[in-house]
Amino acid sequence: MGDCGPDDPYFLGRDEAETERLNQQHRFLLAISGGELIHPSIPKETISAVADIGAGTGVWLADLATILPNTPLDLHGFDISAAQYPPDSVIVVPGKARIPLAVHDALVPYPPEHLGRYDLVHIRLLTAGLKKGDFPVVLRNARSLLKPNGYIQWEEVDTTTFCTNQEPELPAITTMRNTLIDAMLKLGLWPYAPPTVYEEICAGGFHKIYRETYTTEGKEDLRTIAPKWVAGVMRALVPSSMVVLGQAENDEDAKTQVETLIAEFEEHCKSALALASFGVTAAQRCE
Ligand SMILES: C[S@@+](CC[C@H](N)C(=O)[O-])C[C@H]1O[C@@H](n2cnc3c(N)ncnc32)[C@H](O)[C@@H]1O
């Protein structure tokens, strides 16, 4: 369960199991988006300096180092917590990059040495820690990291889209999805991130804006992995949500209730395809 509260609104945990889930999730998000770490509108050959905000375990940066054609690379991760960073807060990709990972709150201006330094700023899945009014602040600070004409790529899951391709909807799915949305709203967090990211980028000093929605719908190759991913998200988020909403007495009770719902969902997914969608907005900084 997350440590969410007034001082740390982040809604996920940061233990070993959550670290493993983030790394597995990275593979799933790549699969759903056609294997593209960088949106096709961003020319890879122009990218050598990259900042990743809310870097988590650093898994996206580590993969990125292996596909960028340029050397030397200047890759840097930032996160409000170092709890999921590898030892010494550094990732070494032999022959490609040494990636330092720093502690920094995305709502706070960055130190001068990082301003105007990066060709690309990447943000993925900050929703579990952001209120609606935080989005323009994160974007303004992210923009300050970019060189003139640098690119932003911001990716968020749409919390409201969890369902399957079968009607009528399984009540267990309705319960888990609505519990999560209600708890986020109660905590002041914002479950409708992808459209908000797009709107803020449109208003925030960017042009050449591309918006993409990736979904599991119609992707038979994701039939096995999609329910596993959804179950992982629900396991990570719904027990805390139940406690926040007073629907469970404590963590243990909440986890037991969620395991029952997940078992029903997994049974249902023996014939149904789990649906989820993932929104990406990519754009170029303009003055
Ligand atoms: C769901 S994880 C995603 C990690 C990574 N971006 C990925 O896609 O694998 C969200 C991360 O955002 C970080 N985070 C939450 N609020 C933040 C803030 N205000 N500033 C910087 N990082 C934050 C959390 O600590 C966590 O590591």
Side-chain angles (χ1 to χ4, degrees):
M1 179 170 164
D3 307 322
C4 56
D7 297 333
D8 182 6
Y10 187 55
F11 202 37
L12 284 160
R14 291 192 177 97
D15 61 10
E16 223 172 281
E18 176 58 13
T19 296
E20 178 56 24
R21 192 189 69 81
L22 286 186
N23 290 339
Q24 295 291 338
Q25 172 170 269
H26 172 69
R27 305 284 149 224
F28 174 74
L29 295 176
L30 270 186
I32 196 177
S33 52
E36 299 280 3
L37 284 166
I38 297 186
H39 188 266
S41 64
I42 300 173
K44 283 194 198 63
E45 62 284 359
T46 65
I47 308 294
S48 42
V50 182
D52 189 20
I53 297 178
T57 66
V59 63
W60 182 87
L61 280 169
D63 254 16
L64 185 75
T66 66
I67 61 136
L68 286 179
N70 291 334
T71 49
L73 294 172
D74 177 19
L75 309 185
H76 212 109
F78 298 95
D79 198 288
I80 198 169
S81 163
Q84 291 173 294
Y85 284 167
D88 302 326
S89 296
V90 70
I91 297 173
V92 178
V93 181
K96 289 296 283 193
R98 184 182 180 281
I99 308 170
L101 303 166
V103 172
H104 186 90
D105 182 348
L107 294 166
V108 174
Y110 290 87
E113 66 270 26
H114 292 289
L115 302 183
R117 171 168 162 178
Y118 297 98
D119 303 303
L120 170 66
V121 169
H122 176 254
I123 306 175
R124 189 172 69 182
L125 301 177
L126 267 192
T127 324
L130 296 187
K131 299 179 166 65
K132 186 161 193 243
D134 292 339
F135 284 78
V137 182
V138 170
L139 184 66
R140 195 166 55 241
N141 289 331
R143 187 176 179 279
S144 75
L145 296 173
L146 287 171
K147 294 175 184 167
N149 302 320
Y151 294 88
I152 186 148
Q153 176 174 324
W154 190 338
E155 314 172 43
E156 292 291 345
V157 165
D158 191 334
T159 312
T160 62
T161 62
F162 290 114
C163 59
T164 72
N165 64 351
Q166 276 183 18
E167 300 270 354
E169 180 164 280
L170 181 78
I173 298 173
T174 320
T175 302
M176 289 192 285
R177 187 185 60 235
N178 290 348
T179 301
L180 174 54
I181 292 170
D182 290 348
M184 288 183 79
L185 290 172
K186 184 168 177 187
L187 288 169
L189 300 173
W190 190 242
Y192 316 110
T196 302
V197 166
Y198 175 74
E199 283 156 21
E200 293 300 340
I201 286 180
C202 288
F206 292 90
H207 66 165
K208 298 185 186 164
I209 301 169
Y210 294 82
R211 179 188 192 177
E212 206 92 58
T213 302
Y214 298 107
T215 165
T216 53
E217 191 153 20
K219 298 200 173 91
E220 282 305 315
D221 54 321
L222 299 180
R223 184 171 274 279
T224 313
I225 186 178
K228 286 197 179 121
W229 176 68
V230 173
V233 171
M234 295 304 168
R235 246 181 218 115
L237 285 164
V238 181
S240 324
S241 303
M242 285 181 164
V243 173
V244 163
L245 295 173
Q247 293 174 358
E249 282 176 18
N250 51 42
D251 274 5
E252 279 319 299
D253 175 27
K255 281 180 186 161
T256 307
Q257 290 192 50
V258 171
E259 283 311 317
T260 305
L261 296 168
I262 286 176
E264 288 173 35
F265 168 69
E266 287 177 336
E267 183 61 31
H268 176 75
C269 287
K270 287 183 178 162
S271 59
L273 174 65
L275 300 183
S277 89
F278 179 59
V280 178
T281 303
Q284 186 174 31
R285 176 178 163 153
C286 59
E287 300 317 308

